[in-house]
Amino acid sequence: MVSTFVLLLTTLVVIGVLKILSVLHHAYFYWRNKGLPYLPNSLSSFITVSKVFIGYIPLADYCQYIYRFFPNAKYVGGVNFFTPAIILRDPELIKDIMVKNFEHFPDHLSFVDESVEPLFGKNVAFLRGDHWKEMRNTLSPSFTANKMKFMFDLISECSHDFVNYLVDHPELCQEVDTKAAFSRYTNDVIATAAFGISVNSMKNRDNEFYTRGIETSKFISGPLAFVKIIFLRACPRLAKLIDLTLFPSATSKFFKKIVEETIRARETQDIVRPDLIHLLMQARDKDSASVPKMTLNDIVSQAFIFFFAGFDTSSTLMCFAAHELAVNQDIQDRLREEILQHLTEGNDEISYESLSKMSYMDMVISETLRMYPPTILTDRLCVKEYELPPSQTGSKNVIIKPDNILIFPVYALHRDPKYFPNPDKFDPERFSEENKDNILPYTYLPFGHGPRKCIGNRFALMETKILIAHLLQKFTLKTVEKTVEPIVHYKKGFSLAPDGGFWIGLEKRET
């Protein structure tokens, strides 16, 4: 019985490897036949790619290697999940595709079929065509300046609770795992701003909102997630048949239950709260012949992606900002001085208006996003034939066909010394009033650009700035023995993180 299983497993592995090699071979000839610079198709290249996905080479380092392979090319041929793809290097072409000729490239590549994994597949980031447009229009009012101003007090209260807990528990401040700590803060922010639920994750450390967030984060990192994604993309019918999903079914049930109960309570008690759930309820009740009726699964999926992005991505941004402030004490001192200058007279409070006036805060967070963008790369899917100019001198125009993938190497652009001199130095002055106009457009893409720009970027920036402001009021951020500096990228995830984790110390200030 065991030998039969081993034989079957070995056969499947061999078939899988041969399939991968054949796909790479196809991609090689696909771009060579078009006269396009392409990444070499050799055993060493295959081994290098394999090392990325089994956790021996950081994804960010590999993306830089690809970006630098043809330094004079506007774009190069490559492979994305075994599909031929084009990696764009030229800012003008990036502008054309993201903005100017958006109608040719309106969609993101979706790696999960919504019928198999509705929790993830139905969210606004992966919806396509008119369905995406309608959902985007539905959600956009959640993130206007007026809505941000309304949510400011809710977020500020979460930040106060978080910082005050640390003030009251100095034993926690000697060595702080900021990823674990800041995730509790972002968990509370999303719970109140999106779901209308009050949670204090520092006091109630095992609340289900938080434990589900940790569980979800684990399920989208590492080799197992990669294998799942490949299988869900390549064999959606079989995945549905064997009930394979990206996230555990208990996670889907939890979020569905929370949304159902929130909607029921608001309907029976006539509760009106201008947050994400309320806007989705309004959209659900619209009577439109041109747009499919919004289902509960649609609402749950939007609420979930808002939770997921806020829980993981925003907390990572805060971690990198805190790290750089701990390492660069002069920058920290200057930022604290600005914060103290903008405190509301009489009560030492930070208002929405005062936060928006903190220009150095904006410079610090902008530089953090340059060095550590939320996504290492982003993509677009062609829906209408498009002609690219020659990639380099002597080459031909290239016709992009529907379903071809275009990749934007965000991290590599941000670390290109041609656009950002001395790119590995943390230097907020790049974004000063005097210098920021020198940044070449479309070389700085932390949230993407154009109609597909991250819809929640204002929210993420606001919750990050509030937390940093409150932290610097009460504490001096210090490096500790566990602080990784210079940062060495963690190898087993698809997002940026230091190998060894985020660690700083918090020294209480005399106020």
Side-chain angles (χ1 to χ4, degrees):
M1 179 69 181
V2 174
S3 60
T4 305
F5 173 76
V6 171
L7 180 63
L8 178 61
L9 183 62
T10 304
T11 303
L12 287 172
V13 169
V14 170
I15 291 171
V17 170
L18 290 174
K19 176 66 175 174
I20 290 169
L21 287 172
S22 70
V23 168
L24 292 173
H25 185 70
H26 163 69
Y28 167 79
F29 281 104
Y30 186 89
W31 296 127
R32 190 179 77 166
N33 293 340
K34 291 179 179 289
L36 184 65
Y38 51 83
L39 298 174
N41 181 40
S42 64
L43 182 60
S44 63
S45 293
F46 173 68
I47 291 171
T48 302
V49 173
S50 301
K51 284 182 177 179
V52 174
F53 291 111
I54 61 176
Y56 281 94
I57 297 176
L59 178 60
D61 293 356
Y62 178 66
C63 288
Q64 273 195 301
Y65 160 76
I66 294 173
Y67 179 84
R68 293 169 177 171
F69 203 88
F70 293 98
N72 299 315
K74 292 183 177 181
Y75 53 91
V76 299
V79 178
N80 178 266
F81 283 109
F82 315 124
T83 304
I86 283 180
I87 299 128
L88 291 163
R89 302 181 73 262
D90 180 67
E92 275 299 312
L93 282 182
I94 291 172
K95 179 180 77 172
D96 288 348
I97 284 156
M98 281 190 165
V99 180
K100 191 176 175 182
N101 297 301
F102 176 76
E103 70 275 10
H104 289 263
F105 307 94
D107 297 329
H108 279 306
L109 177 67
S110 177
F111 56 83
V112 177
D113 189 302
E114 65 178 62
S115 66
V116 178
E117 178 63 281
L119 185 66
F120 208 65
K122 282 178 171 284
N123 76 72
V124 68
F126 295 127
L127 290 175
R128 297 181 179 178
D130 291 339
H131 199 179
W132 163 76
K133 200 176 293 181
E134 180 67 21
M135 187 62 73
R136 177 85 180 197
N137 290 338
T138 297
L139 296 178
S140 290
S142 296
F143 303 101
T144 60
N146 282 338
K147 287 295 191 303
M148 291 299 100
K149 191 172 182 179
F150 168 80
M151 287 192 277
F152 178 87
D153 289 339
L154 295 173
I155 298 170
S156 186
E157 186 178 347
C158 292
S159 180
H160 271 305
D161 289 343
F162 175 83
V163 173
N164 288 338
Y165 188 88
L166 291 173
V167 169
D168 295 337
H169 294 79
E171 71 280 2
L172 299 176
C173 299
Q174 300 301 312
E175 284 186 334
V176 181
D177 176 353
T178 53
K179 182 60 178 172
F182 293 163
S183 292
R184 293 184 180 278
Y185 162 67
T186 55
N187 177 73
D188 296 356
V189 168
I190 298 302
T192 187
F195 296 87
I197 296 170
S198 180
V199 179
N200 187 328
S201 297
M202 295 298 279
K203 289 182 179 178
N204 182 11
R205 301 187 74 79
D206 295 321
N207 69 83
E208 195 168 5
F209 244 91
Y210 178 74
T211 57
R212 292 296 176 192
I214 292 294
E215 187 179 69
T216 301
S217 298
K218 288 178 181 176
F219 269 85
I220 52 85
S221 60
L224 179 60
F226 175 66
V227 171
K228 273 190 174 185
I229 289 166
I230 289 178
F231 194 87
L232 287 164
R233 275 198 65 195
C235 311
R237 290 181 182 177
L238 181 57
K240 193 170 186 177
L241 187 65
I242 64 174
D243 201 26
L244 177 71
T245 57
L246 192 59
F247 304 104
S249 60
T251 299
S252 301
K253 288 175 183 174
F254 169 73
F255 281 99
K256 192 169 184 177
K257 178 186 173 189
I258 287 288
V259 171
E260 274 186 309
E261 289 177 352
T262 302
I263 290 174
R264 190 182 305 118
R266 293 187 184 191
E267 287 177 336
T268 56
Q269 300 173 40
D270 290 328
I271 297 171
V272 175
R273 198 173 185 273
D275 58 12
L276 188 72
I277 294 290
H278 178 69
L279 286 165
L280 290 167
M281 287 171 64
Q282 286 182 313
R284 176 201 61 179
D285 296 335
K286 276 183 184 175
D287 188 17
S288 174
S290 60
V291 180
K293 187 81 170 173
M294 188 179 291
T295 65
L296 178 63
N297 278 342
D298 290 321
I299 296 176
V300 173
S301 186
Q302 308 323 310
F304 173 76
I305 197 65
F306 190 62
F307 168 82
F308 176 72
F311 184 93
D312 189 68
T313 312
S314 297
S315 61
T316 300
L317 168 60
M318 296 167 199
C319 289
F320 279 120
H323 171 91
E324 291 296 342
L325 290 170
V327 169
N328 299 282
Q329 287 292 318
D330 55 332
I331 293 173
Q332 181 182 160
D333 291 342
R334 181 176 165 187
L335 179 56
R336 181 181 292 106
E337 186 179 336
E338 179 182 69
I339 292 164
L340 296 178
Q341 284 174 353
H342 283 88
L343 293 177
T344 305
E345 287 185 20
N347 62 2
D348 283 350
E349 276 299 318
I350 296 166
S351 66
Y352 177 81
E353 289 74 19
S354 64
L355 188 71
S356 64
K357 292 175 184 174
M358 294 182 191
S359 57
Y360 195 63
M361 172 75 81
D362 193 62
M363 290 160 59
V364 168
I365 300 304
S366 295
E367 175 68 347
T368 305
L369 286 165
R370 181 196 67 80
M371 289 191 70
Y372 313 105
T375 55
I376 294 169
L377 48 84
T378 187
D379 60 62
R380 292 292 186 277
L381 191 67
C382 180
V383 299
K384 190 161 55 172
E385 192 173 282
Y386 185 82
E387 186 173 359
L388 286 174
S391 173
Q392 53 190 5
T393 305
S395 60
K396 302 175 183 177
N397 289 9
V398 171
I399 302 297
I400 306 295
K401 301 283 188 182
D403 291 332
N404 280 167
I405 302 161
L406 286 89
I407 296 172
F408 308 91
V410 177
Y411 177 84
L413 283 163
H414 288 192
R415 296 292 181 115
D416 189 334
K418 183 166 62 173
Y419 306 127
F420 300 97
N422 198 3
D424 295 331
K425 180 185 178 184
F426 186 79
D427 183 11
E429 289 301 322
R430 301 179 203 272
F431 294 90
S432 68
E433 284 299 321
E434 298 79 19
N435 296 330
K436 65 182 179 181
D437 288 340
N438 296 329
I439 296 173
L440 188 65
Y442 298 90
T443 60
Y444 180 67
L445 303 165
F447 297 110
H449 231 298
R452 277 279 186 174
K453 186 175 182 178
C454 173
I455 193 172
N457 70 90
R458 274 182 172 175
F459 187 91
L461 291 173
M462 185 169 74
E463 66 173 327
T464 299
K465 290 176 181 180
I466 293 172
L467 180 71
I468 296 297
H470 285 154
L471 264 181
L472 293 189
Q473 271 185 276
K474 303 284 187 179
F475 293 100
T476 298
L477 280 52
K478 303 271 191 179
T479 58
V480 294
E481 191 175 336
K482 288 184 178 180
T483 304
V484 180
E485 178 57 31
I487 283 177
V488 177
H489 293 310
Y490 180 61
K491 299 180 179 68
K492 295 184 179 179
F494 297 115
S495 56
L496 294 172
D499 197 0
F502 294 98
W503 293 92
I504 64 169
L506 299 175
E507 184 180 288
K508 191 173 182 302
R509 294 180 64 248
E510 296 299 325
T511 56

